[in-house]
Amino acid sequence: MASAPYDLTPDLCDNHPDVRVLEPMLSNFGGNAVFGGEIVTVKCFEDNSLVKEQLGTPGNGKVLVVDGGGSLRRALLGDMIGASAVKNGWAGVIIYGCVRDVCALAELDLGVQALAAIPIKTERKGVGELNVPVTFGGVTFKSGEFVYADDNGVVVSVRQLENR
């Protein structure tokens, strides 16, 4: 286990040099600053229909990685969808895009990392892709791989890691 809970990703990088590391771009918004799990991917742009749908299903400790195209115009996650994620057992959500309701998200037992916050919600049109490889910040995320996140950054591995 990590020497301190907030030093998880540096320790994983030291102990597993084959991990892929996301470029520094995301900030923590959730109540859990340290989280990780098996990846499920969603690709969408300014439409959080699939995000809501997926986080409304059993998460079993998984992490939803959302490629929102880097849009800073609409929030892909807010308090109600975040609460649904907690209720359904998701460990976290990583969003290449925005969130809203940041005070409420900070109170949830959920890891949330995103580019920024904006108060504008999306229009739900049912557009998006599930379980496709998504690439942002110099890393490709694939469903079934594993992601680990904390205040130091985000690392991805093809296998589940133990910190020694």
Side-chain angles (χ1 to χ4, degrees):
M1 206 56 193
S3 58
Y6 298 103
D7 293 331
L8 175 64
T9 60
D11 290 347
L12 288 175
C13 288
D14 291 350
N15 295 328
H16 304 278
D18 60 331
V19 297
R20 303 182 314 268
V21 180
L22 186 72
E23 294 168 0
M25 62 174 52
L26 304 178
S27 298
N28 267 317
F29 291 96
N32 290 345
V34 180
F35 63 98
E38 185 179 341
I39 296 170
V40 174
T41 64
V42 165
K43 186 171 187 169
C44 58
F45 186 76
E46 297 183 2
D47 179 344
N48 68 349
S49 301
L50 266 181
V51 174
K52 179 181 181 185
E53 181 181 310
Q54 283 308 297
L55 294 176
T57 65
N60 302 314
K62 295 179 181 177
V63 175
L64 188 67
V65 176
V66 181
D67 179 355
S71 174
L72 300 177
R73 300 184 302 197
R74 304 275 180 178
L76 296 173
L77 178 73
D79 61 343
M80 294 185 342
I81 297 174
S84 176
V86 172
K87 177 183 173 190
N88 287 296
W90 289 84
V93 185
I94 295 174
I95 301 176
Y96 184 50
C98 290
V99 298
R100 68 187 217 157
D101 305 314
V102 296
C103 293
L105 289 177
E107 296 296 319
L108 294 177
D109 187 18
L110 183 69
V112 177
Q113 288 204 9
L115 289 174
I118 191 166
I120 303 169
K121 67 180 181 176
T122 70
E123 293 182 33
R124 291 200 188 115
K125 299 177 182 176
V127 178
E129 298 175 88
L130 177 65
N131 291 323
V132 296
V134 297
T135 301
F136 57 90
V139 171
T140 298
F141 298 84
K142 297 177 183 173
S143 293
E145 293 186 339
F146 292 85
V147 65
Y148 304 91
D150 63 15
D151 285 325
N152 295 288
V154 175
V155 300
V156 179
S157 175
V158 295
R159 67 187 187 289
Q160 189 169 12
L161 300 178
E162 291 186 29
N163 198 22
R164 301 180 204 115

